[in-house]
Amino acid sequence: MSFENCKDVWVFIECFRGEPKDVGLELLGQGRKLADGLKQDLCAVIIGKDVNDAILESNEYGADKIYVVQGDEYEDYSADAYGKAFLELCKKYKPNTILVGATINGRDLGSKIAVSLRTGLTADCTSLKVDEDGVNVIWERPAFGGNLYAQIICSDTRPQMGTVRPGAFKKIDKVVGNKATIIREDIKVDKSEIRIKIIDFITSIKEQGIKLEEAEYIVAGGRGMKDAKNFKMLQDLADLLGGTVGASRAAVDAEWVPQSKQIGQTGKTVSPKVYIACGISGAVQHLAGISDSDVIIAINKDESAPIFEVADYCIIGDLFEVIPTLIKEISNLKCECTV
Ligand code: FAD
């Protein structure tokens, strides 16, 4: 696509059974920043069957325009149907920039669009900004095992594309009184063109309870936990706080906790109000997943552990003494509050 004709920043609002996933709404905040920098409009792209909630929320989170493609063939995600609809929209409206959530479906869709349009896509971005000339997005992501951050630009082709993991950015405040222009496109996909048939959805046991990406309080354990059974005290602390348990890769590799609990570069990106790191050294690959936490509390017996460089509160001590004490003190405080 030629540079001159391409305009606007598009954000794919992925839905599941009509509900917009948080990642799309989170990306509207980043999209707004880019759209302002590029002096273009911010557009939400919604594909699905019953998408009224997604339209309402995209408007609330500040989209200037909302492209909607609706139909029975879009009830469940398929690369064939969604890919066709998205590409038709691209051909007609020629976006400058596309942001997609790095979910399983988003990664699938993003790569299909990028390949079809012969353009570049930067995966798992952790920071987005527009360059000084107001032309290219600077896509930042961890590289070389997370030991450094690469800044990538897509200087020769349009649209410029990137994926961002759920929870990497927070949603912005709702934009009161926003009135997006809604553009409906009737794009039909014949059933015979959809090669995947969804038989059923099964809720993963691992996904039950509070999701890491949505948790306000996370108590995470690392190799310092020594054994799977010791994660019980982290769960007790998380329950007291109304949060959930996470882990470093070392704890996952030791099979003390399931992979779905891993936080970091090759795990989940989280943005809780409070992140409590217990027996985690603070390797860059772990820090890549927690940098958007409001407050980081680290418990480690090694005062030179790198986690203390990013922690807001540093507790130097044996976690097997500190955590039971914390649980006791918080329980006491809760009892006092309810008397
Ligand atoms: P360690 O580094 O071994 O640290 C254990 C800590 O526990 C130490 O600081 C120690 O002082 C402390 N400790 C021990 N006993 C106690 C005690 N009784 N009380 C208090 N403190 C104690 N890692 C991730 O976490 N997430 C990722 O997504 C990830 N992705 C990666 C991707 C790549 C490509 C690579 C190369 C690596 C990745 N890693 C990731 C691994 C990462 O480099 C580290 O190896 C890992 O984070 C270390 O986990 P840890 O901090 O639990 O263990």
Side-chain angles (χ1 to χ4, degrees):
M1 288 187 181
S2 73
F3 268 56
E4 302 73 45
N5 299 332
C6 293
K7 62 177 173 50
D8 295 347
V9 175
W10 286 17
V11 176
F12 174 55
I13 308 296
E14 184 181 341
C15 300
F16 180 70
R17 300 280 155 97
E19 284 285 311
K21 290 193 173 177
D22 279 340
V23 64
L25 306 174
E26 289 158 10
L27 287 183
L28 283 174
Q30 292 301 304
R32 166 54 61 208
K33 199 176 73 178
L34 299 183
D36 290 350
L38 295 163
K39 299 193 172 47
Q40 296 175 0
D41 281 343
L42 171 64
C43 309
V45 178
I46 302 171
I47 302 170
K49 189 179 175 195
D50 303 308
V51 293
N52 286 345
D53 287 351
I55 296 173
L56 278 175
E57 294 211 47
S58 298
N59 181 54
E60 285 175 348
Y61 284 100
D64 299 311
K65 294 179 210 158
I66 305 175
Y67 293 105
V68 181
V69 181
Q70 240 175 319
D72 288 346
E73 61 268 58
Y74 305 115
E75 180 169 19
D76 293 319
Y77 172 82
S78 74
D80 293 320
Y82 278 58
K84 179 173 174 180
F86 209 110
L87 285 166
E88 294 272 319
L89 290 176
C90 286
K91 280 177 197 151
K92 184 164 178 186
Y93 294 103
K94 299 184 175 48
N96 176 290
T97 304
I98 301 177
L99 296 177
V100 180
T103 59
I104 291 171
N105 294 342
R107 288 178 195 274
D108 190 42
L109 181 68
S111 52
K112 185 179 171 84
I113 297 164
V115 168
S116 303
L117 298 178
R118 301 276 187 275
T119 192
L121 180 150
T122 308
D124 296 334
C125 300
T126 50
S127 163
L128 311 170
K129 63 181 178 206
V130 174
D131 67 7
E132 281 179 0
D133 302 329
V135 174
N136 292 308
V137 173
I138 301 176
W139 310 90
E140 190 170 291
R141 72 174 316 277
F144 295 106
N147 290 316
L148 55 87
Y149 281 84
Q151 293 192 330
I152 296 165
I153 58 165
C154 178
S155 54
D156 296 339
T157 54
R158 285 294 180 268
Q160 46 192 338
M161 295 184 62
T163 64
V164 175
R165 288 193 203 181
F169 297 106
K170 293 201 166 106
K171 285 184 212 165
I172 54 162
D173 292 338
K174 290 185 177 176
V175 183
V176 182
N178 188 46
K179 285 206 173 69
T181 306
I182 298 173
I183 301 151
R184 294 182 187 271
E185 285 291 330
D186 191 23
I187 302 170
K188 294 277 173 247
V189 182
D190 192 82
K191 267 192 182 159
S192 62
E193 293 176 67
I194 303 173
R195 289 168 294 175
I196 288 175
K197 190 169 174 234
I198 308 282
I199 298 164
D200 197 5
F201 285 94
I202 301 163
T203 310
S204 162
I205 295 168
K206 294 170 199 159
E207 290 297 327
Q208 286 171 359
I210 302 169
K211 287 186 177 173
L212 272 175
E213 302 96 312
E214 292 166 12
E216 295 197 336
Y217 296 87
I218 295 175
V219 185
R223 204 192 311 269
M225 295 304 298
K226 307 261 191 293
D227 196 284
K229 66 177 187 320
N230 297 327
F231 274 79
K232 164 84 174 60
M233 68 177 168
L234 300 193
Q235 188 64 57
D236 291 344
L237 181 54
D239 289 345
L240 266 178
L241 298 168
T244 194
V245 169
S248 73
R249 181 157 143 182
V252 171
D253 287 349
E255 299 186 0
W256 299 337
V257 276
Q259 206 278 332
S260 61
K261 291 288 184 187
Q262 185 182 318
I263 293 165
Q265 188 193 326
T266 43
K268 304 249 164 78
T269 304
V270 297
S271 50
K273 281 186 183 162
V274 179
Y275 185 81
I276 308 179
C278 310
I280 293 177
S281 59
V284 278
Q285 295 90 352
H286 187 80
L287 301 183
I290 66 168
S291 58
D292 218 22
S293 306
D294 287 347
V295 172
I296 297 174
I297 302 171
I299 306 167
N300 201 304
K301 64 180 184 185
D302 174 7
E303 64 180 326
S304 62
I307 190 82
F308 288 140
E309 285 167 30
V310 297
D312 300 284
Y313 296 94
C314 308
I315 305 176
I316 302 163
D318 186 340
L319 65 88
F320 295 101
E321 291 169 16
V322 176
I323 295 171
T325 309
L326 271 177
I327 291 173
K328 204 170 138 203
E329 292 297 326
I330 295 170
S331 304
N332 287 344
L333 274 174
K334 284 204 158 186
C335 287
E336 281 168 28
C337 292
T338 49
V339 170

Coordinates of all heavy atoms in Angstrom, one line a residue, residues 145 222-224 226 248-250 262-267 279-283 285-286 299-302 305 317-320, ligand 1:
G145 N 16.8 -12.8 24.0 CA 16.5 -13.4 25.3 C 16.2 -12.4 26.3 O 16.2 -12.7 27.5
G222 N 9.3 -17.8 43.1 CA 10.4 -18.3 42.2 C 11.1 -19.5 42.8 O 10.5 -20.2 43.7
R223 N 12.3 -19.7 42.3 CA 13.1 -20.8 42.7 C 13.3 -20.9 44.3 O 13.4 -21.9 44.9 CB 14.4 -20.8 42.0 CG 15.1 -22.2 41.9 CD 16.5 -22.2 41.5 NE 16.8 -21.3 40.4 CZ 16.8 -21.8 39.1 NH1 16.5 -23.0 38.8 NH2 17.1 -20.9 38.1
G224 N 13.3 -19.7 44.8 CA 13.5 -19.6 46.3 C 12.3 -20.2 47.1 O 12.5 -20.5 48.3
K226 N 11.5 -23.2 46.8 CA 12.1 -24.6 47.1 C 11.2 -25.8 46.7 O 11.8 -26.8 46.4 CB 12.5 -24.7 48.6 CG 13.3 -23.6 49.1 CD 14.8 -24.0 49.1 CE 15.7 -23.0 49.9 NZ 15.9 -21.7 49.3
S248 N 7.8 -17.4 38.6 CA 8.9 -17.2 37.6 C 9.0 -18.5 36.8 O 8.4 -19.5 37.1 CB 10.2 -17.0 38.4 OG 10.6 -18.2 38.9
R249 N 9.8 -18.4 35.7 CA 10.0 -19.5 34.8 C 10.7 -20.7 35.6 O 10.4 -21.8 35.3 CB 10.8 -19.1 33.6 CG 11.0 -20.3 32.7 CD 11.2 -19.8 31.3 NE 12.2 -20.6 30.6 CZ 12.6 -20.4 29.4 NH1 12.2 -19.3 28.7 NH2 13.5 -21.1 28.8
A250 N 11.6 -20.3 36.5 CA 12.3 -21.4 37.2 C 11.3 -22.2 38.0 O 11.4 -23.5 38.1 CB 13.3 -20.7 38.2
Q262 N 3.1 -18.5 34.6 CA 4.4 -17.9 34.4 C 4.3 -16.4 34.0 O 3.5 -16.1 33.1 CB 5.2 -18.6 33.3 CG 6.6 -18.1 33.1 CD 7.4 -18.8 32.0 OE1 7.3 -20.0 31.9 NE2 8.1 -18.0 31.2
I263 N 5.1 -15.6 34.6 CA 5.1 -14.2 34.3 C 6.4 -13.8 33.7 O 7.5 -14.3 34.2 CB 4.8 -13.4 35.6 CG1 3.4 -13.6 36.1 CG2 5.1 -11.9 35.4 CD1 3.2 -13.2 37.5
G264 N 6.4 -13.0 32.7 CA 7.7 -12.6 32.1 C 7.6 -12.6 30.6 O 6.6 -12.8 30.0
Q265 N 8.8 -12.5 30.0 CA 8.9 -12.4 28.6 C 8.3 -13.5 27.8 O 7.6 -13.3 26.8 CB 10.4 -12.4 28.2 CG 10.7 -12.1 26.8 CD 12.2 -12.4 26.5 OE1 13.0 -12.3 27.3 NE2 12.4 -12.9 25.3
T266 N 8.4 -14.8 28.3 CA 7.8 -15.9 27.6 C 6.5 -16.4 28.4 O 6.0 -17.5 28.2 CB 8.8 -17.0 27.4 OG1 9.5 -17.2 28.6 CG2 9.7 -16.8 26.3
G267 N 6.1 -15.6 29.3 CA 4.9 -15.9 30.1 C 3.9 -14.7 29.9 O 3.8 -14.1 28.9
G279 N 11.2 -14.8 46.6 CA 12.2 -15.7 46.1 C 12.4 -15.7 44.6 O 12.7 -16.7 44.0
I280 N 12.3 -14.5 44.1 CA 12.5 -14.3 42.6 C 13.7 -13.3 42.5 O 13.7 -12.3 43.1 CB 11.3 -13.7 42.0 CG1 10.1 -14.7 42.0 CG2 11.6 -13.3 40.5 CD1 8.8 -14.3 41.4
S281 N 14.7 -13.7 41.7 CA 15.9 -12.9 41.7 C 15.8 -11.6 40.9 O 16.4 -10.6 41.2 CB 17.1 -13.7 41.0 OG 16.7 -14.1 39.7
G282 N 14.9 -11.6 39.9 CA 14.6 -10.4 39.1 C 15.4 -10.4 37.8 O 16.0 -9.3 37.4
A283 N 15.5 -11.5 37.1 CA 16.1 -11.6 35.8 C 15.3 -10.7 34.8 O 14.1 -10.5 35.0 CB 16.1 -13.0 35.3
Q285 N 14.2 -11.1 32.0 CA 13.1 -11.8 31.3 C 11.9 -11.8 32.2 O 10.8 -11.8 31.8 CB 13.5 -13.2 30.9 CG 14.5 -13.3 29.9 CD 15.9 -13.4 30.4 OE1 16.1 -13.2 31.7 NE2 16.9 -13.6 29.6
H286 N 12.1 -11.8 33.5 CA 11.0 -11.8 34.5 C 10.5 -10.3 34.6 O 9.3 -10.1 34.5 CB 11.4 -12.3 35.8 CG 10.2 -12.4 36.8 ND1 9.3 -13.5 36.7 CD2 9.7 -11.6 37.7 CE1 8.4 -13.3 37.6 NE2 8.6 -12.2 38.2
I299 N 10.6 -9.9 48.3 CA 11.1 -10.5 49.4 C 12.3 -11.5 49.0 O 12.0 -12.4 48.2 CB 10.0 -11.4 50.1 CG1 8.8 -10.5 50.4 CG2 10.6 -12.0 51.4 CD1 7.6 -11.3 50.8
N300 N 13.5 -11.2 49.4 CA 14.6 -12.0 49.0 C 15.7 -12.0 50.1 O 15.9 -10.9 50.7 CB 15.2 -11.4 47.7 CG 16.0 -12.5 46.9 OD1 16.9 -13.0 47.4 ND2 15.6 -12.7 45.7
K301 N 16.4 -13.1 50.3 CA 17.4 -13.1 51.3 C 18.7 -12.6 50.8 O 19.6 -12.3 51.6 CB 17.5 -14.5 51.9 CG 18.1 -15.5 50.9 CD 18.2 -16.9 51.6 CE 18.8 -17.9 50.6 NZ 18.9 -19.2 51.1
D302 N 18.8 -12.3 49.5 CA 20.1 -11.8 49.0 C 19.9 -10.3 48.7 O 19.2 -9.9 47.8 CB 20.4 -12.5 47.6 CG 21.6 -12.0 46.9 OD1 22.3 -11.1 47.5 OD2 21.8 -12.4 45.8
A305 N 20.2 -8.9 45.1 CA 19.3 -9.5 44.1 C 18.8 -8.3 43.2 O 18.3 -7.3 43.7 CB 18.1 -10.2 44.7
G317 N 15.2 -10.8 53.6 CA 15.0 -11.8 54.7 C 14.5 -13.2 54.1 O 14.4 -13.3 52.9
D318 N 14.4 -14.1 55.0 CA 14.0 -15.5 54.6 C 12.5 -15.5 54.4 O 11.7 -15.2 55.3 CB 14.4 -16.4 55.7 CG 14.1 -17.9 55.3 OD1 13.3 -18.1 54.4 OD2 14.7 -18.8 55.9
L319 N 12.1 -15.8 53.1 CA 10.6 -15.7 52.8 C 9.8 -16.7 53.7 O 8.6 -16.5 53.9 CB 10.4 -16.0 51.3 CG 10.7 -17.4 50.7 CD1 9.6 -18.3 50.9 CD2 11.1 -17.2 49.3
F320 N 10.4 -17.8 54.2 CA 9.7 -18.7 55.0 C 9.4 -18.1 56.4 O 8.6 -18.7 57.2 CB 10.5 -20.0 55.1 CG 10.6 -20.7 53.8 CD1 11.7 -20.6 53.1 CD2 9.5 -21.4 53.3 CE1 11.8 -21.2 51.8 CE2 9.5 -22.0 52.0 CZ 10.7 -21.9 51.3
Ligands
FAD1 P1 16.6 -17.6 40.6 O1 17.3 -16.7 39.6 O2 17.4 -18.8 40.9 O3 16.4 -16.8 41.9 C1 15.9 -17.3 43.1 C2 16.0 -16.3 44.2 O4 15.4 -16.8 45.4 C3 17.4 -15.8 44.5 O5 17.5 -14.4 44.3 C4 17.6 -16.2 46.0 O6 18.3 -15.2 46.7 C5 16.1 -16.2 46.4 N1 15.9 -17.1 47.6 C6 16.3 -18.3 47.8 N2 15.9 -18.8 48.9 C7 15.2 -17.8 49.6 C8 14.6 -17.7 50.8 N3 14.5 -18.7 51.7 N4 14.1 -16.5 51.1 C9 14.1 -15.4 50.3 N5 14.7 -15.5 49.1 C10 15.3 -16.7 48.7 N6 12.0 -16.1 33.5 C11 10.8 -15.7 34.0 O7 10.5 -15.6 35.2 N7 9.8 -15.5 33.1 C12 9.9 -15.6 31.7 O8 9.0 -15.3 31.0 C13 11.2 -15.9 31.3 N8 11.5 -16.0 29.9 C14 12.7 -16.3 29.5 C15 13.0 -16.3 28.1 C16 14.3 -16.6 27.7 C17 14.6 -16.5 26.2 C18 15.3 -16.9 28.6 C19 16.7 -17.2 28.2 C20 15.0 -16.9 30.0 C21 13.8 -16.6 30.4 N9 13.4 -16.7 31.8 C22 12.2 -16.2 32.2 C23 14.4 -17.2 32.8 C24 15.2 -16.1 33.6 O9 16.3 -15.8 32.8 C25 15.6 -16.6 35.0 O10 16.3 -17.8 34.8 C26 14.4 -16.9 35.9 O11 13.5 -15.8 35.9 C27 14.9 -17.1 37.3 O12 13.8 -17.4 38.1 P2 13.9 -17.2 39.7 O13 14.2 -15.7 39.9 O14 12.7 -17.8 40.3 O15 15.2 -18.0 40.1

